[in-house]
Amino acid sequence: MNAFQPSTPPLQPEKQRPSVPRPKKHLRQRSYQIMALETTAKITVNLVILTAAVSALVQLLPYHWLQQDKLREIRTEVKLMEGRVSNLRAEFSRNFDPRQAKSIRQEQSYRFDPSQRQVVLINPDRKDAERSNSTP
């Protein structure tokens, strides 16, 4: 009686608990939905930022082109003025050169050096026409 009795396997298998869907599957599906919602929100925000950037560029490009045109105009005027300044400098240095003072005086006053002879050019055709008109 107090002896050990051999254990006999039960004739009926143990009842298995009914399989209850694990909450992990439901949580995993929910996390995919949240990730999809986050991704959609990120894409939407990026598209809004892209639209704002493109509209800003569209508004700024004509202003940029106008500024470039003005800059080209100014550069052209600067080149013209540089040429004019170089001419004026050359003329200024010529005017204050003591070696050329005599030739400058002659240019400006129509006086000639006594050693020079004045040459007057006359059109010969005109001279003949005047003689024929003056003769009665």
Side-chain angles (χ1 to χ4, degrees), residues 125-136:
D125 296 334
R126 188 173 171 193
K127 191 175 182 183
D128 291 337
E130 286 179 6
R131 284 187 187 166
S132 63
N133 288 342
S134 63
T135 336

Side-chain angles (χ1 to χ4, degrees), residues 54-65:
V54 167
S55 89
L57 279 177
V58 166
Q59 290 176 358
L60 286 176
L61 278 176
Y63 177 75
H64 174 71
W65 292 330

Side-chain angles (χ1 to χ4, degrees), residues 80-129:
L80 291 173
M81 288 299 126
E82 284 176 349
R84 185 174 175 204
V85 165
S86 66
N87 289 341
L88 289 174
R89 280 190 180 150
E91 186 179 332
F92 180 79
S93 64
R94 181 177 172 263
N95 284 339
F96 284 96
D97 186 8
R99 292 173 287 181
Q100 296 183 4
K102 189 175 183 181
S103 62
I104 293 171
R105 256 182 298 186
Q106 286 178 355
E107 287 174 9
Q108 293 178 355
S109 67
Y110 302 110
R111 290 189 179 176
F112 295 100
D113 190 18
S115 63
Q116 272 186 328
R117 292 202 175 177
Q118 187 174 3
V119 177
V120 178
L121 298 176
I122 300 174
N123 191 351
D125 296 334
R126 188 173 171 193
K127 191 175 182 183
D128 291 337

Side-chain angles (χ1 to χ4, degrees), residues 48-78:
V48 167
I49 292 172
L50 177 70
T51 305
V54 167
S55 89
L57 279 177
V58 166
Q59 290 176 358
L60 286 176
L61 278 176
Y63 177 75
H64 174 71
W65 292 330
L66 180 66
Q67 294 301 318
Q68 290 297 321
D69 288 341
K70 286 182 181 179
L71 184 61
R72 261 186 241 109
E73 250 180 66
I74 290 172
R75 284 183 180 157
T76 304
E77 288 180 15
V78 165

Side-chain angles (χ1 to χ4, degrees), residues 28-42:
R28 194 176 302 149
Q29 188 177 17
R30 184 177 267 279
S31 70
Y32 288 148
Q33 288 174 349
I34 291 173
M35 284 191 336
L37 185 66
E38 274 183 31
T39 306
T40 305
K42 287 179 184 179

